[in-house]
Amino acid sequence: MNRDEFLAAALRNPVNRIIADGMFRLALPDAWIVAGCLVQTVWNVLTGRAVDYGIADYDVFYFDADTSWEAEDAVIRKLQGAFEKLGVKIEARNQARVHLWYSNKFGITYSPLQRATEGIDRFLTRAAQVGIRPAERGHDVHAPHGFDDIAMLTIRPNRCPNFRADLYEAKAATWKARWPELRILPATDSQS
C-alpha cells in the first residue's frame, strides 16, 4: 500500500473527509486527524466492512503554544459545534500540553513535544502512526513507518519513550475483537 492508496481508502469514510476539510476551515494550528479512525477505515475497506464499522471516535491532534486547559476546552467545544451533525465522538488534544497530564493518567513520563506529528509518532502501535490534514492541493500524510502494517492487517508495537506493554496489549485486544483478521505481534517483538 502506498500513500495515495492509503489516503483514498481512509477518505472513503465521509466522516474522515468532512473532519479533515473542516479543520482547514477552522484554522486549527498544526492540526491532523489521526490514528484509529483512519487505520480502522482502511481495515474496513480491506475486509469488506462498512467504512465506519468499529470506529469509537475520531481523534484530532493540534499544536498550540497556549497550554491552558481553557484554551484546549475552547477547541474541543469549537470542534463539537462544527461537527455536531455528524453524530460521532471527536476527541481533540493539544499536543503542546500532553506532558502536563500524561504521567498522572498513565504513570509514565512524557516529555514535551514540539509539533503535533510528534504525538502521532508516540502511538503505541505502528499501524496507528498515521495522520492526515488538508493542504492547498490535496492532503498531507504523516506515516513514519509507512503503510505495510496497515495493508497486512498487522499490529506491531512502537517502542516509543512512553511505550507500556500492558497498554499495547489492551489496545491490540480491543482491535482484535472487532477485526479478527488482525495479526497481533507480541509487545516484546524484537522487530519494533
Side-chain angles (χ1 to χ4, degrees), residues 6 17 20 23 27 31 38-39 46 49 58 65 74 80 84-85 87 114-115 128 131 137 140-141 149 161 170 176 185:
F6 165 79
R17 181 179 296 279
M23 287 186 324
L38 302 175
V39 69
L46 293 173
R49 291 179 172 90
Y58 292 77
Q80 286 172 341
E84 183 176 20
K85 291 181 181 176
Q114 303 301 312
R115 64 191 61 79
R137 295 176 189 250
D140 291 331
V141 176
D149 281 356
K176 180 79 170 174
L185 300 181

Side-chain angles (χ1 to χ4, degrees), residues 3-182:
R3 174 204 178 278
D4 292 339
E5 292 166 334
F6 165 79
L7 188 60
L11 293 178
R12 283 184 53 186
N13 181 339
V15 175
N16 287 337
R17 181 179 296 279
I18 291 167
I19 292 171
D21 294 344
M23 287 186 324
F24 191 74
R25 287 188 301 280
L26 293 171
L28 295 178
D30 192 17
W32 298 78
I33 183 170
V34 302
C37 61
L38 302 175
V39 69
Q40 293 165 8
T41 295
V42 175
W43 292 339
N44 289 336
V45 169
L46 293 173
T47 61
R49 291 179 172 90
V51 293
D52 61 348
Y53 168 82
I55 299 174
D57 57 30
Y58 292 77
D59 294 315
V60 172
F61 280 10
Y62 68 100
F63 194 90
D64 186 348
D66 184 345
T67 60
S68 69
W69 163 245
E70 294 77 17
E72 185 174 66
D73 189 53
V75 169
I76 292 168
R77 284 186 278 111
K78 184 179 190 179
L79 285 171
Q80 286 172 341
F83 301 117
E84 183 176 20
K85 291 181 181 176
L86 294 175
V88 298
K89 181 179 180 183
I90 298 174
E91 298 225 344
R93 294 294 176 261
N94 181 3
Q95 296 303 290
R97 70 181 307 276
V98 174
H99 68 281
L100 300 174
W101 56 262
Y102 194 93
S103 63
N104 287 337
K105 184 171 182 176
F106 295 107
I108 189 167
T109 304
Y110 196 97
S111 58
L113 306 178
Q114 303 301 312
R115 64 191 61 79
T117 53
E118 290 179 0
I120 297 169
D121 296 345
R122 297 229 186 149
F123 282 123
L124 300 178
T125 73
R126 287 190 177 186
Q129 288 182 278
V130 291
I132 64 171
R133 68 177 177 188
E136 294 219 8
R137 295 176 189 250
H139 293 84
D140 291 331
V141 176
H142 181 77
H145 293 287
F147 309 100
D148 290 347
D149 281 356
I150 297 169
M152 300 302 295
L153 302 169
T154 299
I155 305 303
R156 178 186 318 272
N158 175 36
R159 295 274 180 201
C160 56
N162 57 291
F163 183 80
R164 278 187 36 196
D166 61 324
L167 296 177
Y168 166 80
E169 290 167 352
K171 174 65 73 180
T174 63
W175 287 350
K176 180 79 170 174
R178 288 179 273 166
W179 294 275
E181 304 89 346
L182 294 176

